[in-house]
Amino acid sequence: MKWVVLLIFSSAYYNSVFSQYAFNIPAKESSRMYSYGEIWVEVSGKLALCSHSEKGSIILTVGGGKAPYTFKWNTNETTQNRSNLNAGTYTVWITDADGRVHQEKIIIQPPFPLLLNPVEKKDASCGSGMDGYAKISVKIGRNDYEKDSPPYKVTWSNGLKDVWEADNLAPGTYTVLVEDKYNCSVSVSFEIKSGSEGIAATETIEQPSCQSGSTGKISLNVSGGQPPFTYKWNTGATSKDLNGLVPGTYQVQIQDSKGCSLQKSFSISAPSSIEVGTQLLQPSCQGNSDGRIEIIPAGGKAPYSYLWNTGHTQSKLQNLTSGTYSVKITDATGCSVEKQVILQNQSALELKVVETRPASCAGGSDGGISLELKGAKGTYTVKWSDGNSTQLQRKDLKSGTYTIEVIDESGCKVSTTVQLQDATSLQARIETALDVDCASGKVTGKAWVSIQGGKEPYAISWNPGDKNAREINFDKSGILKVAVKDASGCTLETEARVEFPVVSNQGARLDFQYRKLSISNDPEVLIQEEVLFESEISPEFIAWEWEFGDGKKSVEKDPVHIFEKPGSYEVTLKGYDIFGCSSIERNTIQVSIPTELVVIPNAFTPNGDGLNDSFIPVLKGVSSFTLEVFNTWGEKIFITTSLESKGWDGTYRGQLSPPGNYLYRLTYITPDGTAQSKSGGITLIR
């Protein structure tokens, strides 16, 4: 058989310039790149076929020149990249935006056979032996015919790579994969047989217990080969099983009657002792439950189990107070160890009040507080609520409440609150009153000092005013001050603003009016009607009271009242000023029983003289009504339902109605709730 080797050529030209370049066949499909002056091309893709059923592909990476580029293939395709290609030569002309043309020839290699020679092999002597041998070789392949080709890649199923021969093979089936420079591959499988069935042995091992270090056991179960078997241990023993073993490595050679043998090694491990490490976080302060214990075991055999004296079964305990904690740790072999942990507070602060010294006088600053601190860790800081000291002893204090907080190095804190009292509190306040003669309007101001606490007798000094007087008079507005000194020398000053009126309310105006709240064409006040009393009261009056003459009263400024019976009532408004003086205003109101009255005129003269200028019925004791006016053709030309309406003025749609006769219809509700209706004629006279 004759094989043809194809070469790849590439050229580029611009107008009449032609260049030719030689290149080496790459080790991989996507590894060659060319530079052609101003336009360069990198060719990748699948440029060689492994079988006749495969298709190739060409991928072009273009640079240089001036984009965009156009492409023209010898197969009349105009795409940049090609796929689904058979073996052969493909030429592409690449033209940039300035008209430069680059020609590229790419060859898709045809399939090339990769054939292996028959496997040379030698079977293993025994089923348990590892003395088999195999050799692989290539009969014909692409790498042998193409210049500068890399070696074939060889991969064995047992893990060997890039070797053609393998020895020390155990019985079994093996596969070898051979690949050429284009990753085209062929594989071969073969079997290494054994001259006889191999020896197999499984073991059961019992490790020594934690109570005794010489109780290990190795028990063998042997199969395959040709019995009987002989055993040779590295300890010199020839029995199948071993007992009473101490920790160590034990090797045995098992041989059958045909001389085939198997070697195995076993390990007996001593149970390691359990070492217990701990990570502790001591509770910060006395009574706090922020301690933590974590057990960190080593040695033994995991997993471990835990049993605490608290009943918990995990390796870590949290939220612990101070105290003694014990735990039993047991490993997977049953070995156990106990551990005791003591937690102690980092600090146990105690702040005690040793002495309090109240101030000698109320408002004085000669009081004192002494404190004692115990159980602090390291240095500590003291904070007073007034922010004026960092010491445990204070003097020159005023009376009041003091909170002292102490924090030590561990962050624990303790606080206490001390109430520092005055020795005897001296209190004084100025009280005032005005004596008013309501008849004459004369006003006299009086002021006196009320004193509590301290020690009598008191020395009193007014400003302005007398000394050693409990009470003084004043006649103008201003500030009154008084100084009080008790028998102990404690002093107190207080002041008060007093207001002195210029005049009383003599001549102040007090008046009121009244009106009905319901809309009605009847001006009389009727029973069960709401009547609003509107007062006119001067600012001098600060309080007032109404008496309505029917036994009822009100303190509202503008009350609404309903009279339930007819009659004449005297309504009284009484006003009070800041001095307690009063003024009175009286008014009489007549309350009637509603009576029905309906009077309907038969003519009207809308001439603007103010007399009889509109048509409106006279209604009394009527709560609601509807008035309609019609012309002689029955057309409605006016309607009203308002008790305040002035009636029909003789117009219709803004135009004067002609004189003549018209019809009306009046519907109304009587005081007892009965609906009534009247109708008739009316004459319009102009």
Side-chain angles (χ1 to χ4, degrees):
M1 180 181 294
K2 182 178 180 180
W3 299 96
V4 178
V5 178
L6 299 179
L7 300 179
I8 301 174
F9 297 96
S10 173
S11 64
Y13 63 88
Y14 177 70
N15 293 336
S16 61
V17 179
F18 178 83
S19 298
Q20 180 171 329
Y21 299 85
F23 59 92
N24 292 327
I25 296 175
K28 295 185 179 180
E29 302 170 18
S30 59
S31 63
R32 59 194 181 101
M33 174 178 174
Y34 314 99
S35 176
Y36 297 93
E38 295 191 21
I39 298 179
W40 57 264
V41 179
E42 179 182 340
V43 180
S44 60
K46 188 171 182 60
L47 304 180
L49 305 181
C50 296
S51 68
H52 291 286
S53 62
E54 281 190 332
K55 298 294 182 181
S57 63
I58 299 174
I59 298 174
L60 300 180
T61 302
V62 182
K66 183 178 180 181
Y69 309 100
T70 59
F71 302 84
K72 178 71 174 181
W73 295 81
N74 58 343
T75 57
N76 292 325
E77 296 290 335
T78 58
T79 60
Q80 179 173 344
N81 302 318
R82 301 290 305 278
S83 60
N84 198 31
L85 300 178
N86 294 316
T89 301
Y90 294 87
T91 303
V92 61
W93 291 269
I94 305 170
T95 305
D96 70 0
D98 289 335
R100 295 180 179 84
V101 179
H102 172 77
Q103 176 182 325
E104 181 77 21
K105 289 185 179 180
I106 304 103
I107 296 177
I108 303 294
Q109 296 281 359
F112 195 98
L114 178 58
L115 303 176
L116 301 180
N117 290 312
V119 179
E120 300 179 31
K121 67 171 186 170
K122 184 183 74 172
D123 292 332
S125 59
C126 299
S128 56
M130 296 185 64
D131 56 353
Y133 167 83
K135 179 180 180 181
I136 307 298
S137 60
V138 176
K139 183 175 183 181
I140 186 171
R142 198 191 310 263
N143 290 20
D144 297 325
Y145 286 86
E146 294 185 0
K147 187 178 180 181
D148 299 326
S149 294
Y152 294 98
K153 291 186 290 185
V154 183
T155 304
W156 294 70
S157 58
N158 64 348
L160 295 174
K161 288 185 178 296
D162 297 329
V163 296
W164 296 101
E165 299 179 65
D167 52 12
N168 298 323
L169 299 179
T173 300
Y174 297 84
T175 300
V176 182
L177 178 71
V178 179
E179 297 175 277
D180 67 10
K181 61 189 294 181
Y182 292 110
N183 296 323
C184 296
S185 63
V186 64
S187 64
V188 62
S189 296
F190 59 90
E191 181 183 7
I192 297 295
K193 298 181 179 179
S194 62
S196 62
E197 182 183 2
I199 301 172
T202 59
E203 70 278 358
T204 301
I205 297 178
E206 292 184 19
Q207 303 291 354
S209 67
C210 52
Q211 287 77 21
S212 174
S214 59
T215 56
K217 295 182 180 179
I218 301 175
S219 300
L220 298 181
N221 182 21
V222 181
S223 61
Q226 185 65 43
F229 303 101
T230 60
Y231 305 89
K232 185 176 182 180
W233 294 86
N234 60 340
T235 62
T238 57
S239 60
K240 182 172 72 73
D241 302 324
L242 296 182
N243 298 318
L245 302 180
V246 298
T249 300
Y250 296 84
Q251 297 175 342
V252 64
Q253 183 183 56
I254 306 171
Q255 190 172 33
D256 67 1
S257 60
K258 288 187 175 183
C260 292
S261 63
L262 172 69
Q263 285 190 342
K264 297 200 73 173
S265 179
F266 313 98
S267 179
I268 296 295
S269 301
S272 60
S273 59
I274 304 174
E275 301 293 334
V276 181
T278 59
Q279 284 188 351
L280 306 180
L281 178 62
Q282 301 291 355
S284 58
C285 310
Q286 188 174 10
N288 284 12
S289 55
D290 53 357
R292 185 172 68 246
I293 303 174
E294 182 177 1
I295 298 298
I296 305 174
K301 184 178 181 181
Y304 306 94
S305 61
Y306 309 87
L307 180 60
W308 294 84
N309 60 341
T310 61
H312 293 86
T313 57
Q314 64 269 28
S315 64
K316 183 188 296 184
L317 294 186
Q318 301 186 85
N319 304 321
L320 302 179
T321 59
S322 60
T324 300
Y325 299 86
S326 60
V327 60
K328 182 178 181 181
I329 304 103
T330 305
D331 71 358
T333 66
C335 297
S336 63
V337 65
E338 292 190 3
K339 180 72 173 180
Q340 187 178 80
V341 180
I342 298 176
L343 293 184
Q344 295 178 334
N345 295 121
Q346 299 179 42
S347 57
L349 292 178
E350 181 182 353
L351 188 60
K352 180 180 178 183
V353 180
V354 177
E355 181 186 10
T356 60
R357 300 178 300 278
S360 58
C361 293
S365 56
D366 58 348
I369 299 175
S370 295
L371 303 171
E372 181 182 18
L373 179 67
K374 294 181 179 178
K377 177 183 178 181
T379 60
Y380 58 86
T381 58
V382 181
K383 295 181 180 179
W384 290 73
S385 56
D386 63 354
N388 292 331
S389 179
T390 58
Q391 304 300 318
L392 290 173
Q393 282 73 39
R394 293 285 300 276
K395 62 180 181 178
D396 301 329
L397 294 178
K398 295 181 179 181
S399 62
T401 301
Y402 294 87
T403 298
I404 305 95
E405 181 182 76
V406 180
I407 304 176
D408 68 2
E409 282 185 359
S410 67
C412 295
K413 64 177 64 175
V414 64
S415 65
T416 186
T417 299
V418 180
Q419 181 71 39
L420 194 60
Q421 301 288 346
D422 282 337
T424 303
S425 178
L426 178 62
Q427 299 179 3
R429 70 175 183 274
I430 297 174
E431 300 184 24
T432 62
L434 294 174
D435 287 342
V436 181
D437 186 341
C438 293
S440 64
K442 183 180 179 180
V443 179
T444 301
K446 294 185 179 295
W448 64 94
V449 60
S450 296
I451 304 173
Q452 292 180 340
K455 184 178 181 182
E456 296 189 55
Y458 306 108
I460 301 171
S461 178
W462 290 89
N463 181 21
D466 301 330
K467 291 185 177 181
N468 297 322
R470 284 288 186 109
E471 181 178 316
I472 64 170
N473 294 335
F474 63 91
D475 56 6
K476 60 181 179 180
S477 300
I479 301 295
L480 292 180
K481 298 181 179 180
V482 66
V484 180
K485 183 176 183 180
D486 70 359
S488 298
C490 299
T491 59
L492 176 67
E493 290 188 1
T494 186
E495 63 181 41
R497 169 171 286 279
V498 294
E499 300 292 339
F500 192 83
V502 178
V503 294
S504 67
N505 66 347
Q506 290 277 321
R509 189 164 64 86
L510 186 69
D511 196 3
F512 68 90
Q513 304 292 331
Y514 68 89
R515 62 183 175 88
K516 299 195 297 182
L517 287 181
S518 61
I519 298 174
S520 173
N521 59 354
D522 189 352
E524 288 186 293
V525 176
L526 305 177
I527 61 173
Q528 303 301 327
E529 280 190 318
E530 291 183 328
V531 180
L532 172 63
F533 291 88
E534 297 174 307
S535 62
E536 298 178 11
I537 303 174
S538 296
E540 290 83 359
F541 295 99
I542 62 172
W544 42 82
E545 182 181 44
W546 293 84
E547 293 184 4
F548 299 105
D550 58 356
K552 294 182 180 179
K553 297 180 181 181
S554 175
V555 294
E556 295 182 11
K557 187 174 182 299
D558 299 309
V560 175
H561 186 66
I562 297 175
F563 293 95
E564 297 179 353
K565 296 180 180 180
S568 180
Y569 297 92
E570 184 180 70
V571 179
T572 301
L573 171 59
K574 182 182 293 186
Y576 300 90
D577 64 10
I578 60 173
F579 308 112
C581 297
S582 63
S583 295
I584 297 176
E585 180 68 20
R586 293 183 174 87
N587 214 334
T588 300
I589 183 171
Q590 187 67 38
V591 180
S592 304
I593 298 176
T595 56
E596 177 187 349
L597 175 63
V598 178
V599 178
I600 303 174
N602 56 11
F604 71 106
T605 58
N607 55 12
D609 61 357
L611 298 174
N612 204 26
D613 283 334
S614 64
F615 169 64
I616 185 70
V618 178
L619 302 173
K620 184 177 181 181
V622 173
S623 60
S624 65
F625 80 101
T626 300
L627 174 64
E628 300 169 286
V629 178
F630 306 88
N631 60 23
T632 55
W633 291 279
E635 182 181 7
K636 184 187 297 184
I637 60 177
F638 177 78
I639 184 172
T640 182
T641 59
S642 173
L643 293 172
E644 298 178 346
S645 174
K646 294 181 178 180
W648 182 42
D649 61 358
T651 63
Y652 178 53
R653 294 182 178 176
Q655 302 293 325
L656 296 177
S657 297
N661 294 324
Y662 294 85
L663 300 175
Y664 72 85
R665 179 169 60 198
L666 175 66
T667 304
Y668 58 93
I669 304 298
T670 63
D672 60 0
T674 304
Q676 300 289 341
S677 179
K678 294 180 181 293
S679 59
I682 180 68
T683 302
L684 189 156
I685 303 173
R686 292 195 182 276

